[in-house]
Amino acid sequence: QVQLVESGGGLVQPGGSLRLSCAASGTRSTIYVMAWHRQAPGKQREVVASMTKSGTSNYADSVKGRFTISRDFAENTVYLQMNNLRPEDTADYYCKARVTPLGAENWGKGTLVTVSS
């Protein structure tokens, strides 16, 4: 069982930046894919960005050009640099990891990002 702990959320003004971190423990393997999802109040959870262990990344259209996902493969840590934040980015942000391509999904408990003036 992989444990995921997110950090870095908080309150930021529109146009500001935040960097989220997610540290994984419980496995010695390089995790196959790590991703960030978010869930705004009253909405379904959606994928924000993901990166495989080969370095291939994908982004939701709504964050392309503003958010950047990166990984420290040796430490099984994933980051999400969020720039030019908008009020609609307000949500709980969750880290997800799958150790192998067909393995179980592991989720963190989330970190709240609030974009407001």
Side-chain angles (χ1 to χ4, degrees), residues 29-86:
S29 302
T30 300
I31 293 174
Y32 171 68
V33 61
M34 298 187 78
W36 289 97
H37 292 240
R38 68 185 181 186
Q39 187 167 17
K43 294 188 177 181
Q44 288 189 332
R45 192 173 295 189
E46 61 177 359
V47 61
V48 175
S50 65
M51 179 176 279
T52 67
K53 68 176 185 180
S54 67
T56 299
S57 60
N58 285 285
Y59 296 90
D61 288 343
S62 59
V63 306
K64 283 181 180 177
R66 300 188 299 123
F67 292 9
T68 302
I69 190 170
S70 60
R71 289 180 61 177
D72 182 331
F73 293 100
E75 298 293 329
N76 271 335
T77 300
V78 64
Y79 305 95
L80 186 68
Q81 177 66 44
M82 305 185 295
N83 298 328
N84 192 19
L85 283 160
R86 304 167 180 170

